[in-house]
Amino acid sequence: MTHVEDELTSQPECWARAASQAAHHAKVLPAPGERVAIVGCGTSYFMARAAAALREGAGQGETDAFAASEFPHGRRYDRVVALTRSGTTTEILDLLSRLKGATPTTAVTADPDTPVRTAAGELAVLDFADERSVVQTRFATTALTLLRAHLGLHPDAAVTDARTALAEPLPEGLVECGQFTFLGRGWTVGLADEAGLKMREAALAWAEAYPAMEYRHGPISVSTRGSATWMLGDAPDGLAQQVRDTGALWIAGRLDPLAELVRVQRLAVAVAASRGLDPDSPRHLTRSVILAP
């Protein structure tokens, strides 16, 4: 078993633990009414987008999400939350250092014994969700679970659905597809982007992601026999049939959207195996991007 397989199968337990710790971390996470920015890089950026959409949609306050390198320093926020598995990513550390003394900051991290300890004002540590694989699975979803639980939006069914996602076989013919499109709505747009990234990282697969309603505005043209379109969350009316009419395989999102992402992680590992690839060590990638001064 690869590291990523071992790590992705532990997600139900990690989610339950993170949800149980939400009250403990509440003082360092955004309070209702605060104007907040959530930042990350790569997978963490996509989780930031999902969390921001959830928070603002819940009426907790205006919430933006940015790649750390694209943070708009001309805007004022009551708190900036950084998602960083390693605690060593250069863009995150640079941003936190620049904000120090001007804006309260919290880093959600798996490793507190890293430079993020001094760069961030506060820490929420999820060390039980740390990973050995380059490809992120459980830390990203556990960090999002913590934020969902902090908002009161973590359903008990999510953990149950995650176990279902791990136990059920993948849909027939999916691994053999040559192109994958992932769709989301609202907070699940970030999950769709992350699903596409997992396929590209682990399996070198042709994968795209879009807001579901935007899919008809051009991207559906790539869908055909031998391709798959996967919906994370509820699909717009009529879209499933429209995809089937192209000849593409339609995968409905039956589970909690975060559990659907677990199914995609399994797909990425399966496609990697079918192509003779090592999903733990994707080409050109490292566990953390550390830039020279």
Side-chain angles (χ1 to χ4, degrees):
M1 181 178 288
T2 61
H3 294 313
V4 70
E5 288 176 282
D6 180 57
E7 289 156 1
L8 74 84
T9 58
S10 69
Q11 287 174 109
E13 291 71 30
C14 287
W15 297 2
R17 188 168 175 181
S20 72
Q21 293 183 1
H24 171 74
H25 293 298
K27 290 184 178 179
V28 303
L29 295 175
E34 286 187 330
R35 188 167 190 254
V36 172
I38 309 177
V39 300
C41 298
T43 288
S44 292
Y45 167 52
F46 296 139
M47 296 298 103
R49 287 175 53 193
L54 278 171
R55 183 176 186 271
E56 188 158 319
Q60 292 272 327
E62 185 175 344
T63 315
D64 296 322
F66 303 102
S69 58
E70 297 298 320
F71 184 81
H73 288 278
R75 298 187 191 179
R76 297 195 61 81
Y77 291 97
D78 298 312
R79 180 169 298 274
V80 172
V81 177
L83 307 183
T84 172
R85 176 180 64 172
S86 69
T88 60
T89 302
T90 298
E91 296 103 301
I92 292 288
L93 297 176
D94 286 351
L95 174 59
L96 292 174
S97 296
R98 185 168 173 179
L99 293 173
K100 199 165 190 176
T103 303
T105 60
T106 297
V108 180
T109 187
D111 189 352
D113 297 321
T114 59
V116 77
R117 175 183 289 278
T118 56
E122 305 282 358
L123 293 182
V125 179
L126 303 174
D127 50 0
F128 57 88
D130 203 356
E131 296 164 322
R132 296 179 65 181
S133 178
V134 169
V135 173
Q136 279 201 60
T137 54
R138 72 181 179 193
F139 175 75
T141 60
T142 301
L144 182 54
T145 296
L146 174 68
L147 296 174
R148 287 180 85 183
H150 175 65
L151 294 169
L153 298 176
H154 169 69
D156 292 338
V159 173
T160 301
D161 282 358
R163 293 194 174 102
T164 299
L166 292 168
E168 289 186 346
L170 292 170
E172 186 176 350
L174 188 58
V175 171
E176 292 75 28
C177 287
Q179 188 276 338
F180 303 89
T181 299
F182 299 96
L183 305 177
R185 302 179 83 179
W187 73 281
T188 71
V189 173
L191 300 188
D193 279 322
E194 168 59 10
L197 179 62
K198 284 286 94 60
M199 296 299 297
R200 293 189 292 272
E201 286 180 329
L204 305 184
W206 174 15
E208 303 178 354
Y210 303 97
M213 292 297 288
E214 284 296 304
Y215 177 60
R216 296 181 174 101
H217 294 272
I220 195 172
S221 63
V222 303
S223 296
T224 188
R225 294 188 183 279
S227 67
T229 299
W230 192 322
M231 184 73 212
L232 283 80
D234 295 330
D237 291 343
L239 186 57
Q241 188 57 52
Q242 194 170 358
V243 170
R244 294 188 184 104
D245 289 345
T246 71
L249 180 63
W250 168 260
I251 308 297
R254 300 179 293 100
L255 306 173
D256 179 87
L258 203 55
E260 285 293 324
L261 182 58
V262 174
R263 295 177 73 202
V264 177
Q265 293 168 349
R266 289 183 56 215
L267 172 64
V269 171
V271 173
S274 74
R275 299 179 178 185
L277 302 172
D278 178 4
D280 281 338
S281 301
R283 66 183 186 188
H284 314 315
L285 296 180
T286 56
R287 188 173 181 274
S288 174
V289 176
I290 302 174
L291 305 176

